[in-house]
Amino acid sequence: MIPFIDILAQRKAYKSEFLKAEQDVLDSGCYIGGPVVQALEAELGQYTGAKHVITCGSGTDAITIALLALEIKPGDEVIVPDFTFIAPAECVMRLGGIPKFADIDAETFQISVESIEKLISEKTRGIIAVNLFGQCPDYKKIKECARKNNLWLVEDSAQAFGATQDGRQACTFGDISTTSFYPAKPLGSYGDGGALFTQDDDLAQKIRLIANHGSGKRYVHEICGMNSRLDAIQAAILRVKLHHLDDELKMRSNNARKYNEFFAERNNAADGANGAKIVPQKIASGNTSTYAQYTVLAEDRETFLKQLANAEVPFCIHYPAPLHKQPCFKDLVQDNANTSATEASQKVVSLPFCAFTDVEEIIARLMSGM
Ligand SMILES: *Cc1c(COP(=O)(O)O)cnc(C)c1O
């Protein structure tokens, strides 16, 4: 069976580097925080250009810590995309805030600035934008909108560490930006992990306090914080992977191009045969994507899913419903229909994808069954 993400192929490719990095940490006696974690934070800063990088326990923790640092209060409204993983909306809700769900662009699936503008009220405090499937939304417009309305901006780059917009690295667009090192992410570890990025010295200091029990000095707790730390084994693994990230991003682009060419040809043929189209996520001009997911819109999803099953090609649906339809948000008022988010949830299919995926093999299987 073809794996949806071939994490073991990656482990095999750099195995001796992983073994050495892992052994060094085990032999060091320093397992949480410490020099390896500090070295990783410095390298993440160099890579992105962010002034401050603070690692933490997960991508979800990173969003929670960002919201705490920005001093979200009960009843504050925060605008989040309706079509994404639940974490941004969930973190707002957990802290007593009210997520307001914005619609997406129908082709790129990124949060729509026009929709954000419609949701702004006197209770709105901020925006959490998500770099969905590995590319950035239009940050020029989003930042302008945030500035005009005196809102903070959190950039959730859990899926897009290494992406760029107009030559600038992801994780540098928000007042605070966050990422995740969950194993399946483009820069993933072997357990949970995350990081926050900011240019602001005061926010950076607050973030460090919050992530470490509100404590800068041992056993002095200035605020009530939380325990959210990266362990050294994860940091050591991430340092190995970061070293190979640019090569992997090239391999990922190459794999995406192969899929794109296949679907373009197939759609041309489908035109003649009146068949249903399968259209890949559009990458906006000025963007590079990490392709955290390679996701297409299938006009006739049911038939496409049957073809995938027959060809023994695994798939995922990211995401099967807009967030405003989730049971946990049923008591929230939702005035706008968010038609693009709803339509995307009915048509999206994600295909097997990583740097090591054999896309030619998948295409060959699909050709014999389509
Ligand atoms: C994965 C993900 C998160 C959460 O990251 P964890 O490390 O799993 O907590 C948050 N936001 C988005 C968009 C994600 O894809």
Side-chain angles (χ1 to χ4, degrees), residues 74-90:
D76 285 354
E77 293 182 1
V78 178
I79 299 168
V80 300
D82 200 8
F83 183 70
T84 184
F85 186 59
I86 192 167
E90 173 187 47

Side-chain angles (χ1 to χ4, degrees), residues 58-60 63 84-85 87-88 130 156 158-159 180 182 185 192-193 319:
S58 72
T60 306
I63 299 170
T84 184
F85 186 59
V130 172
D156 176 359
Q159 304 185 357
S180 162
Y182 180 76
K185 308 289 186 190
D192 276 315
Y319 299 88

Side-chain angles (χ1 to χ4, degrees), residues 30-194:
C30 183
Y31 304 128
I32 288 188
V36 181
V37 173
Q38 280 168 14
L40 173 70
E41 289 182 348
E43 287 163 9
L44 295 171
Q46 263 160 25
Y47 189 95
T48 55
K51 185 171 178 194
H52 301 282
V53 181
I54 302 101
T55 52
C56 68
S58 72
T60 306
D61 275 6
I63 299 170
T64 296
I65 293 165
L67 293 172
L68 288 169
L70 293 162
E71 298 183 5
I72 189 175
K73 301 275 183 299
D76 285 354
E77 293 182 1
V78 178
I79 299 168
V80 300
D82 200 8
F83 183 70
T84 184
F85 186 59
I86 192 167
E90 173 187 47
C91 295
V92 169
M93 194 86 167
R94 263 271 139 254
L95 296 173
I98 301 166
K100 300 298 279 184
F101 297 104
D103 205 1
I104 55 168
D105 175 88
E107 293 180 304
T108 64
F109 313 148
Q110 306 303 312
I111 191 167
S112 141
V113 187
E114 291 71 30
S115 184
I116 290 175
E117 276 167 351
K118 283 188 203 141
L119 289 171
I120 294 172
S121 76
E122 71 273 23
K123 289 191 193 151
T124 311
R125 292 292 169 272
I127 302 164
I128 305 179
V130 172
N131 302 339
L132 193 69
F133 302 152
Q135 72 171 320
C136 296
D138 187 340
Y139 277 119
K140 212 166 145 192
K141 282 196 194 156
I142 292 174
K143 288 177 78 143
E144 174 63 18
C145 167
R147 197 191 53 74
K148 258 191 351 223
N149 294 285
N150 199 21
L151 306 175
W152 45 253
L153 172 66
V154 170
E155 173 197 9
D156 176 359
S157 194
Q159 304 185 357
F161 185 92
T164 63
Q165 181 161 81
D166 298 328
R168 182 169 164 174
Q169 285 287 330
C171 300
T172 63
F173 293 102
D175 295 300
I176 301 176
S177 301
T178 62
T179 198
S180 162
F181 302 127
Y182 180 76
K185 308 289 186 190
L187 181 62
S189 195
Y190 291 164
D192 276 315

